[in-house]
């Protein structure tokens, strides 16, 4: 069960900042599918784990990061 | 916005209706993931005849079975070392921890991944920020940094907030007091017992901590952080405000914290947890204001989903409106009030160690104490409180002991207590969770 496009989990419209945060989150996750060198791979995994706190706290998504 | 009272204003002020809606969405996702990825949870749900599709929202919570420590321990014993509870491959874990082992039982083993650790720190941030701690603070951790999870998450939380973290894992008590003084720490994190121990050490070293730089103490690990007399004593000896927090290894972090308004209770972090309070005998929910057992469901931990876990902690839930801070999160009035299995049965009277401590700490003359139970004449249970007296009170001891005896008796249905003076520094001191009950009875009642 996820948020509808443009809404948070509670059905509220996203703020401009939340829209940008969610966009970064979606883009960041795609890097996990890339064949990165170990240094970049670890950095992306750390970043995904860290940014998940922001999108999760703000109820923008109910997904679990794969890290 | 960064200097406001809330770490996460959006969820800390949600209406109860929205909060339960959010909890319901997260519960549904948690159950779906746990059923598909954790053999342990799938087995429990299958036995209870529950499928993920049955859990559509908050109101479906009680359809789910309880999880117990015994079941967790059994699965670890059957499939060592971690059992079949894990919901992600072991390779995704980055750290191993265990429960403290203070209960004398086999410690539970836990694993956490990257996202788990960020979440563990996040929950601590709610508590630190809520008690007024900010990036400018210098935070001292009187903590051993071992396998017990303790303040590990608090360490990462304060780093994340931008505070200066002062670890002291390799230090003894004397060295810690010197470092707090030298580096002008503004926050100290410790168990309540160890906060008192540090203050004692400061006094013996001639370092006046009450006149020093420390403004706040974050207490955790023991119910004493919410015992008013203990907290008052800590605050007096440090010249600082003290806030209680509570967590457990099974969730990896804290699930409640005391805000700056200090209403006599701790806010439950309700966007990351569902906390139920039940009658431990029947499993039925109890109302606000009634004492019962905490049952926790945690949304944040990926490797170890926790669903309706019976904690054995005794609590009294109070509505958020009891606090003036503006948070809509309910409170545990008086924090953790003890453990279901802490109760001592002495000549037919239920005695709770936390309640004994609450009385003993009203007496500033008592420097340290121990509750000792023994069998007299081969048949009769006796309870005595062994006390070390603080310097300067020796001459008044006889009178103090008599009053303490009367107070203990009148607060425990007339049960006769003995109060005995013991030599200074003869009782054990503790860095982590204190064990102040020594039970030498040949038969230990109905514990």
């Amino acid at each position: 069960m996820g948020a509808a496009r443009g809404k948070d989990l509670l059905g509220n419209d996203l703020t401009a900042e939340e829209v940008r945060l969610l966009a970064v989150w979606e883009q960041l996750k795609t890097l996990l599918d890339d064949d990165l060198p170990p240094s970049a791979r670890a950095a992306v995994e750390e970043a995904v784990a860290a940014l998940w706190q922001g999108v999760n706290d703000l109820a923008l998504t109910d997904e679990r990061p794969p890290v | 916005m960064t200097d406001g009272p809330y770490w996460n204003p959006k969820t800390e002020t949600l209406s109860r209706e929205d909060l339960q809606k959010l909890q319901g969405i997260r519960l549904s996702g948690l159950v779906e993931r746990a059923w598909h990825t954790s053999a342990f949870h799938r087995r429990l749900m299958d036995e209870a005849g529950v499928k993920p599709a049955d859990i559509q929202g908050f109101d479906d919570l009680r359809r789910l079975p309880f999880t117990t420590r015994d079941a967790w321990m059994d699965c670890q014993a059957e499939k060592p070392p971690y059992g079949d509870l894990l919901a992600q491959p072991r390779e995704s874990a980055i750290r191993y921890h265990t429960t403290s082992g203070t209960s004398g039982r086999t410690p539970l083993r836990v694993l956490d991944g990257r996202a788990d650790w960020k979440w563990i720190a996040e929950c601590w941030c709610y508590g630190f920020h809520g008690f007024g701690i900010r990036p400018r603070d210098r935070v001292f951790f009187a903590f051993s940094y071992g396998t017990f999870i303790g303040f590990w998450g608090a360490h990462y939380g304060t780093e994340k907030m931008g505070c200066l973290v002062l670890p002291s894992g390799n230090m003894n008590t004397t060295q810690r007091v010197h470092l707090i003084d030298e580096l002008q720490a503004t926050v100290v994190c410790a168990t309540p017992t160890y906060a008192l121990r540090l203050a004692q050490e400061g006094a013996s070293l001639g370092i006046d901590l009450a006149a020093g730089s420390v403004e706040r103490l974050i207490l955790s690990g023991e119910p004493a952080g919410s015992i008013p007399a203990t907290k008052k004593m800590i605050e007096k000896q440090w010249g600082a405000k003290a806030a209680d927090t509570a967590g457990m290894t099974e969730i990896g972090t804290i699930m409640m914290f005391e805000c700056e308004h200090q209403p006599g209770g701790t806010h439950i972090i309700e966007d990351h947890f569902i906390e139920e309070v039940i009658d431990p005998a029947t499993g039925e929910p109890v109302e606000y204001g009634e004492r019962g057992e905490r049952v926790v469901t945690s949304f944040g931990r990926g490797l170890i989903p926790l669903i309706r876990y019976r904690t054995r902690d005794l609590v009294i839930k109070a509505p958020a409106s009891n606090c003036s801070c503006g948070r809509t999160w309910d409170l545990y009035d008086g924090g953790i009030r003890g453990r279901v299995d802490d109760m001592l049965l002495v000549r037919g009277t239920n005695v709770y160690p936390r309640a004994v401590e609450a009385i003993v700490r009203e007496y500033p003359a008592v420097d340290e104490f121990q509750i000792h139970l023994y069998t007299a004449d081969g048949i009769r249970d006796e309870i005595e409180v062994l006390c070390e007296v603080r310097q300067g009170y020796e001459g008044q001891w006889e009178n103090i002991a008599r009053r303490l005896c009367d107070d203990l008796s009148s607060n425990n249905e007339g049960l006769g207590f003995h109060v005995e003076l013991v030599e200074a520094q003869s009782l054990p001191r503790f860095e982590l969770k204190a064990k102040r009950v020594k039970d030498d009875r040949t038969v230990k009642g109905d514990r």
Side-chain angles (χ1 to χ4, degrees):
Chain A
M1 193 185 300
R5 198 171 179 81
K7 307 275 188 188
D8 66 13
L9 290 173
L10 294 167
N12 302 311
D13 291 335
L14 300 183
T15 66
E17 293 79 15
E18 288 174 338
V19 169
R20 290 172 60 202
L21 192 61
L22 205 51
V24 172
W25 166 247
E26 295 297 342
Q27 195 172 7
L28 183 61
K29 279 189 302 175
T30 65
L31 284 168
L32 291 171
D33 299 328
D34 291 353
D35 184 21
L36 298 169
S39 62
R41 172 97 206 158
V44 169
E45 288 187 3
E46 277 287 292
V48 166
L51 192 56
W52 175 58
Q53 308 310 317
V55 293
N56 187 45
D57 277 0
L58 295 176
L60 305 184
T61 176
D62 188 40
E63 66 190 306
R64 276 269 348 156
V67 293
Chain B
M1 190 177 280
T2 54
D3 206 35
Y6 312 122
W7 178 250
N8 183 12
K10 184 170 181 177
T11 54
E12 289 181 58
T13 55
L14 279 178
S15 67
R16 178 68 26 192
E17 186 186 356
D18 277 349
L19 194 51
Q20 290 191 346
K21 183 178 176 186
L22 180 61
Q23 289 174 322
I25 291 167
R26 288 182 169 165
L27 177 67
S28 171
L30 169 68
V31 169
E32 179 79 27
R33 279 192 297 275
W35 193 85
H36 285 288
T37 57
S38 164
F40 175 89
H41 282 292
R42 186 163 58 249
R43 186 168 61 249
L44 283 185
M45 284 188 246
D46 286 350
E47 284 169 5
V50 185
K51 293 275 183 278
D54 298 330
I55 309 302
Q56 293 295 317
F58 182 84
D59 291 340
D60 296 319
L61 175 67
R62 292 186 59 212
R63 302 179 72 167
L64 292 160
F66 290 122
T67 313
T68 63
R69 180 183 172 125
D70 284 345
W72 190 339
M73 279 172 44
D74 288 349
C75 91
Q76 291 197 343
E78 283 166 21
K79 294 180 180 167
Y82 306 111
D84 58 0
L85 183 64
L86 301 185
Q88 290 173 210
R90 192 171 64 180
E91 291 68 29
S92 67
I94 60 168
R95 183 86 68 74
Y96 162 83
H97 278 287
T98 65
T99 46
S100 63
T102 47
S103 66
R105 304 166 76 188
T106 308
L108 291 176
R109 295 177 156 129
V110 295
L111 293 179
D112 290 292
R114 284 186 199 275
D116 295 335
W117 269 103
K118 295 285 192 281
W119 173 79
I120 288 167
E122 186 71 10
C123 290
W124 277 99
C125 290
Y126 279 90
F128 280 106
H129 189 93
F131 194 56
I133 292 159
R134 296 293 182 269
R136 61 181 172 271
D137 278 304
R138 298 176 292 277
V139 186
F140 185 91
F141 285 93
F143 175 57
S144 60
Y145 292 87
T147 53
F148 173 50
I149 205 160
F151 282 114
W152 276 101
H155 173 114
Y156 296 125
T158 45
E159 276 187 356
K160 174 177 178 170
M161 291 169 68
C163 303
L164 174 60
V165 171
L166 310 171
S168 68
N170 59 331
M171 294 181 181
N172 61 31
T173 305
T174 304
Q175 291 168 323
R176 284 172 171 162
V177 170
H178 279 302
L179 195 65
I180 289 167
D181 184 44
E182 183 191 350
L183 298 183
Q184 296 284 285
T186 57
V187 179
V188 168
C189 299
T191 62
T193 295
Y194 198 62
L196 288 169
R197 173 79 193 93
L198 286 165
Q200 284 174 342
E201 187 69 13
S204 70
L205 292 169
I207 294 174
D208 185 2
L209 292 170
S213 56
V214 176
E215 297 164 0
R216 293 177 177 82
L217 293 114
I218 296 290
L219 307 174
S220 206
E222 299 168 334
S226 278
I227 296 176
T230 306
K231 184 191 273 189
K232 193 172 154 194
M233 182 180 278
I234 292 169
E235 290 185 331
K236 185 178 176 202
Q237 294 186 12
W238 282 88
K241 295 301 290 177
D244 192 20
T245 63
M248 58 198 311
T249 305
E250 291 93 322
I251 59 170
T253 186
I254 55 167
M255 72 290 162
M256 64 189 217
F257 66 89
E258 206 172 339
C259 71
E260 281 193 286
H261 289 237
Q262 299 200 284
T266 47
H267 286 285
I268 300 162
I269 305 176
E270 291 197 87
D271 59 342
H272 289 281
F273 301 95
I274 298 175
E275 288 271 335
E276 303 168 75
V277 185
I278 63 164
D279 179 327
T282 65
E284 291 299 310
V286 302
E287 300 292 322
Y288 282 134
E290 288 181 35
R291 189 156 80 164
E293 178 186 348
R294 281 183 54 227
V295 176
V296 60
T297 297
S298 157
F299 302 128
R301 220 175 195 181
L303 265 109
I304 301 177
L306 209 59
I307 300 171
R308 299 198 83 201
Y309 182 72
R310 292 189 64 158
T311 66
R312 315 301 284 164
D313 286 338
L314 291 170
V315 290
I316 296 176
K317 197 184 265 192
S321 56
N322 279 21
C323 184
S324 55
C325 74
R327 281 179 187 81
T328 50
W329 293 348
D330 281 346
L331 300 149
Y332 280 137
D333 181 41
I336 304 290
R337 289 174 170 258
R339 302 269 303 163
V340 173
D341 31 17
D342 268 355
M343 190 192 79
L344 305 160
L345 187 64
V346 184
R347 298 202 300 274
T349 300
N350 298 338
V351 178
Y352 290 92
R354 183 193 194 272
V356 171
E357 173 163 2
I359 294 164
V360 173
R361 292 302 191 195
E362 294 282 354
Y363 289 78
V366 179
D367 203 24
E368 186 54 84
F369 74 98
Q370 184 181 66
I371 301 165
H372 181 222
L373 298 109
Y374 59 95
T375 304
D377 304 326
I379 51 165
R380 195 177 67 253
D381 283 357
E382 292 289 348
I383 182 166
E384 63 182 357
V385 179
L386 308 176
C387 299
E388 291 181 17
V389 67
R390 200 179 299 280
Q391 215 171 4
Y393 287 93
E394 296 89 342
Q396 308 162 49
W397 179 249
E398 208 172 308
N399 185 33
I400 290 167
R402 196 178 312 116
R403 283 193 291 120
L404 178 53
C405 233
D406 289 346
D407 274 354
L408 288 166
S409 179
S410 62
N411 282 281
N412 285 278
E413 300 171 0
L415 179 70
F417 279 71
H418 306 278
V419 172
E420 300 293 335
L421 182 65
V422 297
E423 263 183 56
Q425 301 298 317
S426 63
L427 296 175
R429 261 58 174 178
F430 305 92
E431 182 178 336
L432 289 173
K433 297 180 183 189
K435 287 177 74 176
R436 290 201 176 86
V437 176
K438 187 165 183 278
D439 197 342
D440 289 330
R441 290 177 294 177
T442 49
V443 179
K444 294 183 173 58
D446 297 325
R447 292 192 63 188

